[in-house]
Amino acid sequence: MGGPARDWVEMSGADEPAKFARQAELIRTAHQLTNQRHGKGRFLHRKPILGAAARLDVLPNLPPEASHGVFATPGSHEALVRLSNGSFDIQANTKPDIHGFALRILGVAGPGALGPATDHQDFLLINHDRFNAIDSDSFVEFATLAADNQAKALWTLLRRHGLGGLLARLKDLQQTMGKPFAGYGAETFNTVSPHAIGPYAARVLITPETTAAMQGKDPGADIAQKLAAGPIHYAVQLQFYTDPKATPIEDHRVVWSGPLLTVARLTLLAPADVETLQFDPWGGLADHRPLGEIMRARKAAYRASQLARS
């Protein structure tokens, strides 16, 4: 395995526009159902754990492969962070769940990933280093069915895919939801799908600079207590694409291998209200546009979710 390479390729299928439009409609409908139960809000990552004002300090003397977009020039940016539970339901923080770490970097200027110029850069991360779902269809199917009725979802999946297909999907779900969570002071968070870094590609990771074990079983209470005691510091790191086998762009089930390069320091400063913000993996610079099938699906899905939320 060599160093960062520029020969990465996205493999988009001709059927993707129709597939993503169908997925977006399913999400819009499911989102309306969850809004009826809980009031208007996000479809996934509905329950916030903590909103925080933050500062991002881009490090000097980065290598050429990292010096693009937000990381092109050393210096400080104001930032906002939203920590969340992944579920579309409102449930106790102590229940098994995916945990999110959404970062918005302010004071950015340049062509946006969606076309028009942008003034910020969003990175959305979770406490996993891979997706278990086979593809976006598999994820959207289960999530939207479960948002309606979990018993109905199991029966529908059994009819569509047979017992073997249902068991495979339940195994994926168990592996995802069953992962122990050590808290926001100890876990590493990962975009799982890559972003462009100029002509390169990399996954973005956020790791606590000093591991602080979670006190109690509620990650929300724990991180709020830690922030009340003083600023919390994280390293922002890039894991670059090197070759199609070790770091595939399209297969998000593969844990990427390769070294991590620290490019910035993120400091959580104080609680802040961020619930009116629309964090979006496509909300940022063209230099950091999202890559891979899951990210392409999310472009349409986030538009549908925003419409249902408004």
Side-chain angles (χ1 to χ4, degrees), residues 246-271:
T247 53
I249 296 294
E250 297 292 346
D251 192 348
H252 45 268
R253 293 172 296 172
V254 174
V255 177
W256 277 23
S257 57
L260 301 177
L261 174 68
T262 298
V263 293
R265 188 187 206 203
L266 177 67
T267 303
L268 273 56
L269 299 170

Side-chain angles (χ1 to χ4, degrees), residues 22 71 75 96-97 117 158 160 164 186 201 234 247 258 263 269 287 310:
R22 173 176 50 78
F71 311 116
D97 208 339
L158 178 62
R160 287 182 184 175
Y234 295 86
T247 53
V263 293
L269 299 170
D287 267 347
S310 61

Side-chain angles (χ1 to χ4, degrees), residues 163-220:
L163 181 60
L166 172 61
L167 292 176
R169 283 159 174 78
L170 291 178
K171 180 180 178 182
D172 288 343
L173 181 64
Q174 192 280 327
Q175 289 177 342
T176 299
M177 302 302 292
K179 181 179 183 291
F181 184 58
Y184 283 93
E187 290 273 347
T188 292
F189 295 82
N190 194 316
T191 58
V192 183
S193 289
H195 285 257
I197 309 294
Y200 296 89
R203 292 183 177 181
V204 182
L205 291 84
I206 293 178
T207 304
E209 287 191 346
T210 303
T211 299
M214 185 164 64
Q215 302 299 309
K217 297 182 179 180
D218 183 339

Side-chain angles (χ1 to χ4, degrees), residues 73-241:
T73 305
S76 296
H77 294 265
E78 292 182 2
L80 295 166
V81 165
R82 182 180 189 264
L83 310 181
S84 61
N85 292 333
S87 176
F88 43 74
D89 276 326
I90 304 294
Q91 59 184 22
N93 292 341
T94 53
K95 283 194 172 184
D97 208 339
I98 296 169
H99 296 279
F101 194 125
L103 167 64
R104 171 163 294 184
I105 304 164
L106 305 174
V108 170
L114 293 173
T118 187
D119 61 0
H120 66 273
Q121 174 63 50
D122 288 353
F123 291 117
L124 276 61
L125 307 92
I126 58 174
N127 62 314
H128 290 260
D129 53 11
R130 63 187 292 268
F131 288 130
N132 283 310
I134 299 169
D135 55 19
S136 61
D137 260 342
S138 177
F139 174 79
V140 169
E141 177 185 56
F142 190 89
T144 54
L145 286 170
D148 181 7
N149 181 288
Q150 294 188 14
K152 178 182 174 183
L154 295 176
W155 175 243
T156 302
L157 290 171
L158 178 62
R159 286 191 292 108
R160 287 182 184 175
H161 305 290
L163 181 60
L166 172 61
L167 292 176
R169 283 159 174 78
L170 291 178
K171 180 180 178 182
D172 288 343
L173 181 64
Q174 192 280 327
Q175 289 177 342
T176 299
M177 302 302 292
K179 181 179 183 291
F181 184 58
Y184 283 93
E187 290 273 347
T188 292
F189 295 82
N190 194 316
T191 58
V192 183
S193 289
H195 285 257
I197 309 294
Y200 296 89
R203 292 183 177 181
V204 182
L205 291 84
I206 293 178
T207 304
E209 287 191 346
T210 303
T211 299
M214 185 164 64
Q215 302 299 309
K217 297 182 179 180
D218 183 339
D222 174 69
I223 193 63
Q225 183 179 20
K226 284 179 168 58
L227 186 58
I232 303 172
H233 303 289
Y234 295 86
V236 179
Q237 300 171 306
L238 300 179
Q239 187 175 36
F240 283 94
Y241 166 89

